[in-house]
Amino acid sequence: MVTAEDFVLKGFDKAGDTNNQLGFNVTQASVMQLPGLNTLGISMVRLDFAAPLGLNPPHTHPRATEILVLIEGTLLVGFITTNNTLISTTLQKGDVFVFPNALVHFQLNIGDVNAVAISALSSQNPGTQQVARTLFGASPPVDPAVLAKAFMIDPKLVQLLQNKFKSSS
Amino acid sequence: MVTAEDFVLKGFDKAGDTNNQLGFNVTQASVMQLPGLNTLGISMVRLDFAAPLGLNPPHTHPRATEILVLIEGTLLVGFITTNNTLISTTLQKGDVFVFPNALVHFQLNIGDVNAVAISALSSQNPGTQQVARTLFGASPPVDPAVLAKAFMIDPKLVQLLQNKFKSSS
Amino acid sequence: MVTAEDFVLKGFDKAGDTNNQLGFNVTQASVMQLPGLNTLGISMVRLDFAAPLGLNPPHTHPRATEILVLIEGTLLVGFITTNNTLISTTLQKGDVFVFPNALVHFQLNIGDVNAVAISALSSQNPGTQQVARTLFGASPPVDPAVLAKAFMIDPKLVQLLQNKFKSSS
Amino acid sequence: MVTAEDFVLKGFDKAGDTNNQLGFNVTQASVMQLPGLNTLGISMVRLDFAAPLGLNPPHTHPRATEILVLIEGTLLVGFITTNNTLISTTLQKGDVFVFPNALVHFQLNIGDVNAVAISALSSQNPGTQQVARTLFGASPPVDPAVLAKAFMIDPKLVQLLQNKFKSSS
Amino acid sequence: MVTAEDFVLKGFDKAGDTNNQLGFNVTQASVMQLPGLNTLGISMVRLDFAAPLGLNPPHTHPRATEILVLIEGTLLVGFITTNNTLISTTLQKGDVFVFPNALVHFQLNIGDVNAVAISALSSQNPGTQQVARTLFGASPPVDPAVLAKAFMIDPKLVQLLQNKFKSSS
Amino acid sequence: MVTAEDFVLKGFDKAGDTNNQLGFNVTQASVMQLPGLNTLGISMVRLDFAAPLGLNPPHTHPRATEILVLIEGTLLVGFITTNNTLISTTLQKGDVFVFPNALVHFQLNIGDVNAVAISALSSQNPGTQQVARTLFGASPPVDPAVLAKAFMIDPKLVQLLQNKFKSSS
């Protein structure tokens, strides 16, 4: 028997805690929080960005396109195409933006006030890979030789970055 | 060549005009307004409900599930299952609710202030059928014999309703 | 181990009982009756319409397109598009008609003899919402204020209709 | 502008011409005959089988499951699974049977009267491969060495069969 | 907890045993051998063809397109369209070829050395129907009357073929 | 009219040129090179890795799962889950490995000889994002403030990396 409880989730009016290195927080309404979404191919998140420069760092959703509406503040947003072209713009309150399926994208608070956005994703379980943390903070760690060559940096810098991500997780 | 303009739409901070019989307005961000949504399987709308009793009347989206977050106000929401069970609840600011794919559903402002919601839909072109207007306001009109028998009402009442919808369209 | 029993269903040569308010009956071959349909995305129904004026009232299939062939009799059929246009015609024996995915549609026996149709649906579990019964016969009932405003009728008429559907279910 | 003509097809009450080697005829309602089916994932056919022993020979639909209802007569039907198990039964008037997606299947009139069936397929353009004709009647012909080894027969018999199919096409 | 073991399979460097009537062997990497493929819509096989004239006989994959790369040797390959046209060519080492979804196709070693190919299929569980064995080697056997009429051959030849396939299985 | 030319592509026996910073080359058989793949949901690539330490750097395929078979050499391979767990192993000749849809993954030649792999992807147009180049080599460049904060590094180091990727493109 389904009931209304399976289809409702409270709390998207509460600001997430942005007191962290990125100045950023995400509140989720995926199938784990909202069981009624099962098989329905959609979900929602609230995004909070501290001022100034709260950042949702470059990341992908392996199984979803994202459509975002800015509720408060000013965001620099962008995604990169498979041709390595950056598609970017500045959003003001009330602007809607699309991040196509599984492409790397980011959002940065470039205004003076905290920013708030609502995003919907085209999967009940979209998943997220924060690219920097995926590469330098994976457990067990990725072989430094892979990252040194990929980023054209010294292996010692790779290990320094891996230590930073390890201690910040 | 894609550009940022294909992926951005302005204006979701503006209240829609609810000065109409229903006290309701919908602002769309579908593939017609946002060409970057093409093939991506998602879209967004802003819903405005006048106080008191602004109504998004019973309707379906033939090609989409809807997930709604209430930004301002108080809404009575509900959908009816294929077993004819009403799943309904009252939403306060910050609540998220799910309306499963293509089922009849509605939202009613039962608060003292204008209500505002953001919804996402699992299609770039979800379509909408307002049930009462679909039945009584179609052009050309549906044969009154069909509607009289379906609703167990007098054919004269059907024609009266058809005239009301015709003059209000 | 699958056996032929999982893939066969008897009885589509038997007329359904149309001795009811609508003069209509549907015999189903969905995944519940025919387990071999599981995951295969198709199902079938037999539709019986008493003469005169047996009615399959306005309804949707939330998860399916329907293709119908008229075996006996004469039917007035129609569906309404998301632009509120009625697409309608009269079918004679041997005519095939298409009702696109999840749109409101109906069939009415306008001939002198009982009508029989076979329909296939593009889901093993298409579901059905009879619009009038969904709105006025849901359990628990939809708030009369919603229906009064949606249909531009008096709340007392709403309750009268809700009582009719309650007593006829 | 869509019109009712895009959604209707006449003629499924007419028996197809079974005066051929197989004693069999198929009348199609696919997207080529019924443009309204475009993108909707379903289609229909009428199947006529002469008495006795009219045969819809072993074939596949590369893009569709088939659900069949027998309108008149008696059919021996069957499909073979990917484990090489024959799932077969005898259908009487009014029986419904399912042939899962793309598997080899057949129908044989084993009664004394002409048989008529209606089938629906889970694609607007299901396609058909009659296996014997596909193998021995393709143009240009399949190398006889392939068919001789596959069927464990003499290459001369292969060419004799290829000539038969060529002259009967 | 997923582990690397779920995503790895050993042994595609080993030649399959082609000491059989067809001179052919297939080594599979489907979801049964590689559980990590579950829901991912792809799989792989290694194909070995003895010299001369090792044959992958005419067959279908009911749920998959196949893309093949020839690693060693020379193959005559082909598929037949739903218009009964043979699309065929000779592949040399390093050539890639496509066999569209569920169509009948074959590969024959026409070189002097053993041939080896790698194919990928667009399903984690594509299934296979070898057409000759499906028709003449099914269990229980297909009624000889069906096969005699379909192939325009004598029923006694049908039974002779059925016996051959039975004893070779 | 389709012909065999639409379905065949030559050249996968030729080693790609690995004389570059990564010691790596990819040869593609996607819908752009093989038009017969259109709509069929699969494609293939040949991957060449110089010895020692040729690297296919961390990247995603936004629209595809990848299944790889190692033809020659020894590879360290891995992907990172959305829980930030590294799933990694060493492949020898003949091993098959799966990289699930759109997740970050890599392959590194850890052997003494050039390595060669064949991969299939579950899309006719899978796309690729090399993560480091996507972030630091996009055109126009991503705002250094985004990358500095995401990687917890100095903005001057970001610009140094951006210059490296610019001059190596």
Side-chain angles (χ1 to χ4, degrees):
Chain A
M1 283 295 291
V2 297
T3 67
E5 279 70 44
D6 297 323
F7 295 90
V8 69
L9 181 72
K10 293 184 170 296
F12 266 42
D13 55 326
K14 302 286 186 300
D17 178 3
T18 59
N19 186 17
N20 52 50
Q21 183 255 333
L22 293 167
F24 169 69
N25 199 284
V26 54
T27 306
Q28 289 193 301
S30 301
V31 71
M32 279 75 78
Q33 294 82 27
L34 242 178
L37 286 174
N38 197 20
T39 79
L40 294 179
I42 201 163
S43 58
M44 196 174 258
V45 293
R46 174 189 167 126
L47 306 173
D48 284 282
F49 305 81
L53 297 176
L55 174 67
N56 187 357
H59 64 286
T60 70
H61 303 294
R63 295 177 287 274
T65 287
E66 177 176 350
I67 184 167
L68 174 153
V69 59
L70 187 53
I71 303 295
E72 291 291 339
T74 305
L75 288 182
L76 174 71
V77 301
F79 66 86
I80 297 108
T81 71
T82 53
N83 293 326
N84 238 21
T85 301
L86 172 68
I87 303 290
S88 181
T89 195
T90 299
L91 301 184
Q92 306 295 345
K93 183 177 172 172
D95 293 355
V96 177
F97 196 78
V98 181
F99 304 95
N101 183 52
L103 296 182
V104 172
H105 62 287
F106 62 87
Q107 298 119 12
L108 176 69
N109 185 352
I110 58 171
D112 301 329
V113 298
N114 292 349
V116 183
I118 297 290
S119 280
L121 298 120
S122 62
S123 166
Q124 68 268 16
N125 183 17
T128 298
Q129 292 204 295
Q130 280 192 15
V131 175
R133 183 166 294 280
T134 293
L135 294 172
F136 291 95
S139 169
V142 173
D143 186 327
V146 168
L147 298 169
K149 194 162 198 171
F151 283 90
M152 300 191 270
I153 57 177
D154 193 274
K156 285 178 187 160
L157 177 53
V158 170
Q159 288 177 300
L160 190 138
L161 286 168
Q162 289 180 321
N163 287 337
K164 276 196 195 178
F165 276 97
K166 194 174 179 184
S167 60
S168 79
S169 67
Chain B
M1 283 296 290
V2 297
T3 66
E5 279 69 45
D6 297 322
F7 295 90
V8 70
L9 181 73
K10 294 186 170 296
F12 265 42
D13 55 327
K14 302 285 187 301
D17 179 4
T18 58
N19 186 17
N20 53 50
Q21 184 255 333
L22 292 167
F24 170 69
N25 199 285
V26 55
T27 305
Q28 290 193 301
S30 302
V31 72
M32 280 74 78
Q33 294 83 26
L34 242 179
L37 286 174
N38 196 21
T39 78
L40 294 179
I42 201 164
S43 57
M44 196 173 258
V45 292
R46 175 191 166 123
L47 306 173
D48 284 282
F49 306 81
L53 297 177
L55 175 67
N56 187 358
H59 64 285
T60 70
H61 304 293
R63 294 177 288 275
T65 288
E66 177 176 350
I67 185 167
L68 175 151
V69 60
L70 187 54
I71 303 294
E72 290 291 338
T74 306
L75 288 182
L76 174 71
V77 301
F79 66 87
I80 297 107
T81 72
T82 53
N83 294 325
N84 237 20
T85 301
L86 173 67
I87 302 291
S88 181
T89 195
T90 298
L91 301 184
Q92 306 295 345
K93 184 176 172 174
D95 292 355
V96 177
F97 196 79
V98 181
F99 304 95
N101 183 52
L103 297 182
V104 172
H105 62 287
F106 62 87
Q107 299 118 13
L108 176 69
N109 184 352
I110 57 172
D112 300 330
V113 298
N114 292 348
V116 182
I118 297 290
S119 281
L121 298 119
S122 63
S123 165
Q124 68 267 17
N125 183 18
T128 298
Q129 292 204 296
Q130 280 192 12
V131 175
R133 183 166 293 282
T134 292
L135 294 172
F136 291 96
S139 169
V142 173
D143 186 327
V146 168
L147 298 169
K149 194 161 197 169
F151 284 89
M152 300 189 270
I153 57 177
D154 193 274
K156 285 179 187 159
L157 177 53
V158 170
Q159 288 177 302
L160 191 136
L161 286 168
Q162 288 181 321
N163 288 337
K164 275 196 196 178
F165 276 97
K166 194 175 180 183
S167 60
S168 78
S169 66
Chain C
M1 282 299 289
V2 296
T3 67
E5 280 68 44
D6 296 323
F7 295 90
V8 70
L9 181 73
K10 294 186 170 296
F12 266 43
D13 56 326
K14 302 286 187 298
D17 179 4
T18 59
N19 187 17
N20 53 49
Q21 183 254 333
L22 293 167
F24 170 69
N25 198 284
V26 54
T27 306
Q28 289 192 300
S30 301
V31 71
M32 280 75 77
Q33 294 84 26
L34 241 178
L37 287 174
N38 196 19
T39 77
L40 294 179
I42 200 164
S43 58
M44 195 174 259
V45 293
R46 175 192 166 122
L47 306 173
D48 285 281
F49 305 82
L53 297 177
L55 174 68
N56 187 358
H59 64 286
T60 70
H61 304 294
R63 293 178 288 273
T65 287
E66 177 176 351
I67 185 167
L68 174 152
V69 59
L70 187 54
I71 303 295
E72 290 291 339
T74 305
L75 288 182
L76 174 71
V77 301
F79 66 86
I80 296 107
T81 71
T82 52
N83 293 325
N84 238 20
T85 301
L86 173 67
I87 303 290
S88 182
T89 195
T90 299
L91 300 184
Q92 306 295 345
K93 184 177 173 173
D95 293 355
V96 177
F97 196 79
V98 181
F99 304 96
N101 183 52
L103 295 182
V104 172
H105 62 287
F106 62 87
Q107 299 118 14
L108 177 69
N109 184 352
I110 58 171
D112 301 329
V113 298
N114 291 350
V116 183
I118 297 289
S119 280
L121 298 121
S122 62
S123 166
Q124 68 267 19
N125 183 18
T128 297
Q129 291 204 296
Q130 280 192 13
V131 174
R133 183 166 293 282
T134 293
L135 293 173
F136 290 96
S139 170
V142 173
D143 186 327
V146 168
L147 298 169
K149 194 161 198 170
F151 284 90
M152 300 190 272
I153 57 178
D154 194 275
K156 285 179 186 159
L157 177 53
V158 171
Q159 289 177 301
L160 191 138
L161 286 168
Q162 288 180 322
N163 288 337
K164 276 197 195 177
F165 276 97
K166 193 175 179 183
S167 60
S168 78
S169 66
Chain D
M1 283 297 290
V2 297
T3 67
E5 279 70 43
D6 296 323
F7 295 91
V8 70
L9 181 72
K10 294 186 169 296
F12 265 43
D13 55 326
K14 303 286 186 299
D17 179 4
T18 58
N19 186 16
N20 52 49
Q21 183 255 332
L22 292 167
F24 170 69
N25 198 285
V26 55
T27 306
Q28 289 193 300
S30 301
V31 72
M32 281 74 78
Q33 294 84 26
L34 241 179
L37 286 174
N38 196 20
T39 78
L40 295 179
I42 201 164
S43 58
M44 195 174 259
V45 293
R46 175 191 166 124
L47 306 173
D48 284 283
F49 306 81
L53 297 177
L55 174 68
N56 187 358
H59 64 286
T60 69
H61 304 293
R63 293 177 289 274
T65 287
E66 178 177 349
I67 183 167
L68 175 151
V69 59
L70 187 54
I71 303 294
E72 290 291 339
T74 306
L75 288 182
L76 174 71
V77 301
F79 66 86
I80 297 107
T81 70
T82 53
N83 293 326
N84 237 20
T85 301
L86 173 68
I87 302 291
S88 181
T89 195
T90 299
L91 301 184
Q92 306 294 345
K93 184 178 172 172
D95 293 355
V96 177
F97 197 78
V98 181
F99 304 96
N101 183 52
L103 295 182
V104 172
H105 61 289
F106 62 87
Q107 298 118 15
L108 176 69
N109 184 351
I110 57 171
D112 300 330
V113 298
N114 292 349
V116 183
I118 297 289
S119 281
L121 298 120
S122 62
S123 165
Q124 68 268 17
N125 183 19
T128 298
Q129 291 203 297
Q130 280 192 12
V131 174
R133 184 166 293 281
T134 292
L135 293 173
F136 291 95
S139 170
V142 173
D143 186 327
V146 168
L147 298 169
K149 194 161 198 170
F151 284 90
M152 300 190 272
I153 57 177
D154 193 275
K156 285 179 187 160
L157 177 53
V158 170
Q159 288 177 301
L160 191 138
L161 286 168
Q162 288 181 322
N163 288 337
K164 275 196 195 178
F165 276 97
K166 193 175 179 183
S167 60
S168 78
S169 65
Chain E
M1 283 298 291
V2 296
T3 67
E5 280 69 44
D6 297 323
F7 296 89
V8 70
L9 181 73
K10 294 186 169 295
F12 265 43
D13 55 327
K14 302 286 188 300
D17 179 4
T18 59
N19 186 16
N20 52 49
Q21 183 255 333
L22 292 166
F24 170 69
N25 198 283
V26 55
T27 305
Q28 290 193 301
S30 300
V31 71
M32 280 75 78
Q33 294 83 27
L34 241 178
L37 287 174
N38 196 20
T39 78
L40 294 179
I42 201 163
S43 58
M44 196 174 258
V45 292
R46 175 192 166 122
L47 306 173
D48 284 282
F49 305 82
L53 297 177
L55 175 67
N56 187 357
H59 65 285
T60 70
H61 304 293
R63 294 177 288 275
T65 288
E66 177 176 351
I67 184 167
L68 175 152
V69 59
L70 187 54
I71 303 295
E72 289 292 337
T74 306
L75 288 182
L76 174 71
V77 301
F79 66 86
I80 297 107
T81 72
T82 53
N83 293 326
N84 237 20
T85 301
L86 172 68
I87 303 290
S88 181
T89 196
T90 298
L91 301 184
Q92 306 295 345
K93 184 178 172 174
D95 293 354
V96 177
F97 196 78
V98 181
F99 304 95
N101 183 52
L103 295 182
V104 172
H105 62 287
F106 61 88
Q107 298 119 14
L108 177 68
N109 184 352
I110 58 171
D112 301 329
V113 297
N114 292 350
V116 183
I118 297 288
S119 280
L121 298 120
S122 62
S123 166
Q124 68 268 18
N125 183 17
T128 297
Q129 292 204 296
Q130 280 192 13
V131 175
R133 183 166 293 281
T134 293
L135 293 173
F136 291 96
S139 169
V142 173
D143 186 328
V146 168
L147 297 169
K149 195 162 198 170
F151 283 90
M152 301 191 269
I153 57 177
D154 193 275
K156 285 178 187 160
L157 177 54
V158 170
Q159 288 177 303
L160 190 137
L161 286 168
Q162 288 181 322
N163 288 336
K164 276 197 196 178
F165 276 97
K166 194 174 178 183
S167 60
S168 78
S169 66
Chain F
M1 282 296 290
V2 297
T3 67
E5 279 69 43
D6 297 322
F7 295 90
V8 70
L9 180 72
K10 294 186 169 295
F12 266 43
D13 55 326
K14 301 287 187 299
D17 178 4
T18 59
N19 186 18
N20 52 50
Q21 183 255 332
L22 293 166
F24 170 69
N25 198 284
V26 55
T27 305
Q28 290 193 300
S30 301
V31 72
M32 280 74 79
Q33 295 83 27
L34 242 178
L37 286 174
N38 197 20
T39 78
L40 294 179
I42 201 163
S43 58
M44 197 173 258
V45 292
R46 174 191 167 123
L47 306 172
D48 284 283
F49 305 81
L53 298 177
L55 174 68
N56 188 358
H59 64 286
T60 70
H61 304 293
R63 294 177 287 274
T65 287
E66 178 176 350
I67 184 167
L68 175 152
V69 60
L70 187 53
I71 303 294
E72 290 292 338
T74 306
L75 288 181
L76 173 71
V77 300
F79 66 85
I80 297 109
T81 71
T82 53
N83 293 326
N84 238 21
T85 300
L86 173 67
I87 302 291
S88 181
T89 195
T90 298
L91 300 184
Q92 305 295 346
K93 184 178 173 174
D95 292 355
V96 177
F97 196 79
V98 181
F99 304 95
N101 183 52
L103 296 182
V104 172
H105 62 287
F106 62 87
Q107 298 118 14
L108 176 70
N109 184 351
I110 57 171
D112 300 330
V113 298
N114 291 350
V116 183
I118 297 290
S119 281
L121 299 120
S122 62
S123 165
Q124 69 268 17
N125 183 18
T128 297
Q129 292 203 296
Q130 280 192 12
V131 174
R133 184 166 293 281
T134 293
L135 294 173
F136 291 95
S139 170
V142 173
D143 186 328
V146 167
L147 298 169
K149 195 162 197 171
F151 284 89
M152 300 190 271
I153 56 178
D154 193 275
K156 285 179 187 160
L157 176 54
V158 171
Q159 288 178 304
L160 190 139
L161 286 168
Q162 288 181 322
N163 287 337
K164 276 196 195 178
F165 276 97
K166 193 175 179 184
S167 61
S168 78
S169 67

